[in-house]
Amino acid sequence: MTSSALLDGLNPQQAQAVSAKSGPALIIAGPGSGKTAVLTRRVAYLIREKGVPPWRIMAVTFTNKAAREMKERIDRLVGDQATGLTIGTFHAICARILRSEATRIGMKSDFVIYDTDDQLNVMKSALSDANLNTEKSQPRRYLSMISGAKNELITPEMYPTDNAGDRLVAKVYKRYQDILRASNALDFDDLLVHTVRLFQRNADTLQKYRDRYEHILVDEFQDTNTAQYVLVRLLAGDEGSLFCVGDPDQSIYRFRGADYRNLSRFQKDYPNAQLILLEHNYRSHQIILDAAMAIIDKNEDRIKKNLTTSRDDGPRLNLKNLADENDEAQYVVWTIDQYRRSGRYHLRDCAIMYRTNAQSRALEDVFVRANIPYRLVGSVRFYSRREIKDVLAYLRLAQNPDDSVSLNRVLNVPPRGIGQQTAATLAEWAEKRGGSLYDAVQAVDSAPDSPFKGRAAKSLIEFGRLLERWRDLRAKAPVGALLKDILEQTAYLHYLRDGTPEGEDRVQNVQELYRVAENAGARSLDEFLEEIALVSDVDNLDENADGAIMLTLHAAKGLEFPVVFIVGLEEGLLPHQNAADDPEQMAEERRLMYVGLTRAKDVLHLTWTTRRSTYGNMGERSLPSRFLTELPEELITGSPVPGRPTAYDAERLAARRAGPWRPPAPPARPVNAPVRPATRITSLYKAGQRVRHERFGDGVIIASAIRGAEEEIDVRFEKYGLKRLSASIAPLTLIEDE
């Protein structure tokens, strides 16, 4: 092996990858295995040791930030020898190619690239041209379907036409593309699709780029979609030097079109490719890695890895069962504060990860009340999210109808036929009358000088009546009932459901706000809104200051933290309920858990709740996540998990650790945490009884147990499957034998 200084400090597998011979190579890089170092040194090695001109090298990654970091590292290694290197995201590189070859695809080289808002406007025009209501037809849903088709290289002509719905999508898809072409514009997906088509239809152009790029390197290969895989396959050809780095166990973006099976396709297309496993982890201690492998090893049809590390200094995973999400939030924030006070860790060293954005609400509330700084990564604060601000605007109008900012916000949200021109006319008329927008709305039906006729007048009158309805309801109903009526009368949740994962996230956020309103009890609306304003008053927080980190598990990929909390480890949440009947989705949920575990360097806390309040909760209790039951006994401490097996491979444990290890005592419970008095109760139910639930219908009790002062029963319902309920509050009746 060469004695190049570029190999100094690398382990044998990393050095093997950096100095690999030309040709196809697949590098399976486990978490924390130094893949960025391998990629950058590989480029430097090609330039310095193999004499490859930098302009003959293409390095592709998925984010501009990653591309900048890679370029900076390469520049530090080889200096100005890297001049001419092609490095960037798939979309950026394709845009450069298409500008050079625009005439080949019937475009002008000064084409524009439409962002999401531009695409939405184009889609609305396409729907209108197809004689469809641009709002009721959910333009975002059509964009999502068309994007999915483009990821799979399906053109409008190729789109399925098996039923009326598919034929309509194909029609809208074609019109959408016609509008883009007439505007000399491409969307992000088009950058990939048109480049692939360019190469497929112009052999001479493809050969030109094959001749130029002798070496192609691709980062995060597990996140490529079909279009991206076909693109690099075309550029590399059958004999090209294609160096791909990725980890199929960290493929968590299926909803964006990513397909981890591209690694298997690579091995099939290049049967003689070098396969190198990077298994040594430089981030986490061995207990964390063993826990992660216990989870991911349940997935089938994968390239097995044995993650190792030199660190045997870490504590076991701390499991904690809490009463509900508020108790969970208090425990997490209190524990983080104890780390800060002890001087062991800074706030910025602690990260809280969750499956859905809606879970941040309870945590944010406790952080603000405890006056402890925090930061949200990849998201906005709960009360600053668009859908939450919309719903709060309705509540504020019920409290103060003269709030013109709130009225303007929801005047046509959801759409009710009050367009921009009508809104502008309303504002002018209100100013002329010398009153508020609300006063003007209420006068539309009676004022002789009303400028509104027909549909506009009808829509404004109906909106005014709704405001009056909520003003009256506010005086005699609790906040929860008022919010429920607002959601029903506006059909706001239906408006949010646009067929995309983002739409479902927004629905969950509003449902979480509804739960908060329900818990407000008899508090007045103005008290409720005042408390919300206090909780959301963190706009002046310095993002560069020390603060705990909160983020979704999807946003956590690529990051690392000394202390990690993964909260909400319950069936239906993690793994998510949408994965229950889909083995592929369930495998991805397992990969998501694996990613979360391997973000931790030193300490891991895993929490779940006995009951997590949800929209329309009917006494349902939470079931611990199956992932908790799969963690070996020797790796965990803290709360016991019902149903968790205790067997563990003792031989492997002994080989890893030289002697016995005594875990530290788990963190004490907050001093102000409620303590329930011990109570002896008797069982009301037994296995085999048939019951009927107001929401879930008929089912059979399969188990009953007394835990503390409550009886928990497991019921298998005919339509909803297994549920764990609290016997004291679940609306159940026994079904007598007929």
Side-chain angles (χ1 to χ4, degrees):
M1 180 176 290
T2 178
S3 59
S4 170
L6 289 169
L7 305 183
D8 290 348
L10 300 181
N11 65 42
Q13 291 73 35
Q14 290 175 324
Q16 180 187 4
V18 169
S19 60
K21 65 181 180 181
S22 296
L26 183 59
I27 316 301
I28 304 299
S33 61
K35 71 177 180 65
T36 303
V38 167
L39 271 167
T40 53
R41 293 201 189 199
R42 172 64 175 176
V43 173
Y45 185 88
L46 291 173
I47 295 172
R48 284 180 49 177
E49 299 297 323
K50 295 299 182 182
V52 178
W55 57 270
R56 300 203 67 185
I57 301 173
M58 174 193 290
V60 189
T61 188
F62 271 81
T63 67
N64 292 317
K65 179 181 178 182
R68 287 193 300 270
E69 179 183 348
M70 195 180 299
K71 187 175 187 308
E72 290 170 0
R73 288 200 188 190
I74 294 170
D75 287 342
R76 287 196 295 267
L77 290 169
V78 299
D80 58 8
Q81 292 183 54
T83 302
L85 173 70
T86 297
I87 184 169
T89 65
F90 274 101
H91 295 93
I93 291 173
C94 286
R96 295 177 214 164
I97 293 173
L98 291 177
R99 291 205 189 278
S100 297
E101 311 293 341
T103 56
R104 294 272 186 160
I105 61 169
M107 303 283 292
K108 298 177 182 177
S109 61
D110 61 350
F111 62 79
V112 296
I113 302 171
Y114 277 173
D115 63 17
T116 303
D117 288 338
D118 297 326
Q119 293 173 46
L120 190 60
N121 289 330
V122 173
M123 177 52 67
K124 289 178 179 179
S125 295
L127 291 169
S128 179
D129 291 347
N131 297 319
L132 296 172
N133 184 295
T134 59
E135 298 301 337
K136 291 183 178 180
S137 298
Q138 299 177 326
R140 292 185 187 277
R141 178 171 173 268
Y142 276 86
L143 280 175
S144 179
M145 290 188 289
I146 290 172
S147 178
K150 290 183 178 182
N151 287 339
E152 297 296 321
L153 297 174
I154 297 173
T155 65
E157 294 73 25
M158 298 164 57
Y159 200 88
T161 55
D162 299 334
N163 55 58
D166 286 343
R167 289 191 290 273
L168 184 58
V169 175
K171 178 181 178 181
V172 172
Y173 184 3
K174 183 179 185 306
R175 182 56 189 152
Y176 173 81
Q177 290 302 117
D178 288 343
I179 296 173
L180 286 176
R181 183 167 292 276
S183 304
N184 193 37
L186 301 176
D187 65 20
F188 290 115
D189 296 318
D190 283 334
L191 294 172
L192 301 173
V193 173
H194 282 293
T195 306
V196 169
R197 298 298 182 218
L198 168 70
F199 291 152
Q200 288 177 330
R201 296 171 181 174
N202 299 276
D204 57 334
T205 304
L206 174 59
Q207 192 60 49
K208 179 175 76 172
Y209 284 93
R210 279 185 178 175
D211 291 342
R212 174 175 177 177
Y213 294 117
E214 179 185 355
H215 292 269
I216 300 172
L217 300 88
V218 183
D219 190 14
E220 303 287 6
F221 193 63
Q222 77 281 348
D223 291 333
T224 54
N225 59 31
T226 298
Q228 289 159 339
Y229 180 79
V230 171
L231 177 62
V232 296
R233 180 79 175 83
L234 284 167
L235 279 171
D238 294 331
E239 307 297 331
S241 186
L242 183 55
F243 187 92
C244 297
V245 181
D247 182 4
D249 291 336
Q250 295 187 70
S251 180
I252 58 174
Y253 300 122
R254 183 170 178 249
F255 64 94
R256 296 180 187 168
D259 192 345
Y260 71 95
R261 292 171 297 187
N262 282 342
L263 286 94
S264 299
R265 295 185 181 113
F266 179 97
Q267 291 180 292
K268 181 179 179 181
D269 289 341
Y270 298 100
N272 298 320
Q274 303 167 81
L275 178 63
I276 301 171
L277 304 184
L278 303 183
E279 299 174 293
H280 190 79
N281 182 285
Y282 293 92
R283 175 188 301 153
S284 311
H285 59 76
Q286 193 65 51
I287 289 179
I288 291 174
L289 299 181
D290 283 350
M293 285 188 287
I295 299 298
I296 201 63
D297 281 347
K298 300 289 185 181
N299 274 355
E300 300 177 352
D301 300 325
R302 49 180 290 271
I303 300 172
K304 296 281 186 178
K305 298 189 299 297
N306 183 34
L307 302 180
T308 61
T309 179
S310 301
R311 293 186 57 190
D312 282 328
D313 58 344
R316 303 185 196 188
L317 281 61
N318 190 285
L319 276 56
K320 192 70 173 178
N321 180 212
L322 289 311
D324 55 30
E325 67 274 16
N326 296 315
D327 195 17
E328 179 182 60
Q330 290 175 11
Y331 165 75
V332 170
V333 175
W334 178 86
T335 305
I336 289 175
D337 193 40
Q338 294 306 300
Y339 283 131
R340 174 179 67 166
R341 292 176 182 272
S342 70
R344 291 179 61 192
Y345 295 105
H346 297 288
L347 290 176
R348 61 177 175 271
D349 295 329
C350 303
I352 310 164
M353 301 175 187
Y354 34 79
R355 179 62 178 82
T356 67
N357 278 313
Q359 290 171 258
S360 76
R361 198 279 312 164
L363 290 158
E364 291 185 67
D365 283 359
V366 177
F367 269 116
V368 171
R369 289 169 185 156
N371 196 30
I372 297 176
Y374 70 92
R375 287 179 289 162
L376 283 173
V377 175
S379 180
V380 295
R381 289 179 297 276
F382 181 84
Y383 292 112
S384 295
R385 291 165 185 159
R386 187 199 76 190
E387 60 277 9
I388 298 302
K389 291 176 73 70
D390 285 348
V391 176
L392 288 176
Y394 277 113
L395 287 174
R396 290 189 178 110
L397 286 172
Q399 173 68 17
N400 175 22
D402 291 327
D403 180 353
S404 295
V405 172
S406 292
L407 194 147
N408 263 322
R409 182 179 184 91
V410 297
L411 185 61
N412 198 42
V413 176
R416 52 174 60 89
I418 303 175
Q420 293 182 355
Q421 184 57 52
T422 300
T425 303
L426 179 68
E428 292 173 1
W429 190 48
E431 183 176 359
K432 180 181 178 181
R433 288 169 51 85
S436 67
L437 288 176
Y438 172 76
D439 292 332
V441 168
Q442 295 302 320
V444 168
D445 193 27
S446 58
D449 64 335
S450 172
F452 303 103
K453 306 294 181 185
R455 180 185 177 188
K458 180 180 178 182
S459 298
L460 286 169
I461 292 169
E462 290 178 351
F463 180 62
R465 288 172 180 166
L466 283 176
L467 295 180
E468 281 302 291
R469 172 191 178 96
W470 297 324
R471 288 279 290 162
D472 292 339
L473 188 59
R474 161 187 166 271
K476 55 189 177 184
V479 179
L482 172 62
L483 180 51
K484 181 179 181 181
D485 192 78
I486 288 171
L487 295 176
E488 290 176 349
Q489 294 297 320
T490 60
Y492 189 76
L493 294 181
H494 177 74
Y495 161 70
L496 292 178
R497 287 193 171 99
D498 57 9
T500 66
E502 293 80 8
E504 286 305 309
D505 272 350
R506 287 190 283 269
V507 168
Q508 290 182 29
N509 288 335
V510 173
Q511 290 173 341
E512 173 67 4
L513 180 64
Y514 172 79
R515 194 198 66 75
V516 175
E518 282 279 273
N519 287 344
R523 276 181 294 171
S524 66
L525 178 59
D526 57 345
E527 289 174 333
F528 176 77
L529 291 174
E530 182 178 330
E531 182 174 336
I532 293 295
L534 174 64
V535 170
S536 61
D537 189 20
V538 292
D539 292 333
N540 295 324
L541 179 66
D542 181 3
E543 293 190 357
N544 295 318
D546 192 22
I549 311 298
M550 291 198 293
L551 69 171
T552 65
L553 286 160
H554 282 101
K557 188 167 173 289
L559 303 176
E560 61 180 42
F561 305 92
V563 181
V564 167
F565 294 78
I566 302 180
V567 300
L569 276 160
E570 297 135 35
E571 287 293 304
L573 195 53
L574 182 61
H576 198 276
Q577 60 186 359
N578 291 346
D581 299 320
D582 187 334
E584 281 289 331
Q585 285 194 43
M586 184 59 71
E588 180 150 320
E589 292 292 303
R590 191 174 294 280
R591 294 194 293 271
L592 193 60
M593 180 67 177
Y594 172 80
V595 166
L597 293 173
T598 55
R599 299 310 93 193
K601 298 170 69 175
D602 302 334
V603 184
L604 252 174
H605 293 266
L606 309 178
T607 68
W608 76 100
T609 63
T610 301
R611 179 182 294 107
R612 187 173 298 274
S613 300
T614 56
Y615 185 73
N617 184 285
M618 296 289 285
E620 183 179 357
R621 295 175 68 86
S622 304
L623 290 174
S625 169
R626 68 192 67 189
F627 301 147
L628 292 171
T629 70
E630 295 166 1
L631 294 171
E633 174 75 14
E634 298 295 332
L635 304 182
I636 60 177
T637 186
S639 302
V641 183
R644 190 190 59 73
T646 59
Y648 183 69
D649 187 343
E651 181 178 349
R652 181 181 176 196
L653 180 65
R656 196 194 73 229
R657 292 206 298 265
W661 180 86
R662 292 179 176 83
R669 187 175 180 82
V671 294
N672 60 348
V675 178
R676 298 180 181 177
T679 305
R680 296 183 62 86
I681 64 172
T682 57
S683 177
L684 299 176
Y685 299 95
K686 61 183 179 180
Q689 288 181 317
R690 297 179 66 238
V691 293
R692 179 166 295 144
H693 190 282
E694 290 182 6
R695 175 182 174 191
F696 302 134
D698 294 350
V700 176
I701 295 175
I702 62 173
S704 172
I706 303 299
R707 292 189 174 90
E710 295 182 345
E711 178 185 7
E712 294 182 4
I713 54 176
D714 293 341
V715 185
R716 187 173 298 281
F717 291 99
E718 295 174 1
K719 293 184 178 181
Y720 290 88
L722 183 64
K723 301 287 184 183
R724 177 167 291 175
L725 308 177
S726 173
S728 63
I729 62 174
L732 288 173
T733 55
L734 286 171
I735 301 177
E736 302 295 336
D737 293 334
E738 297 180 354

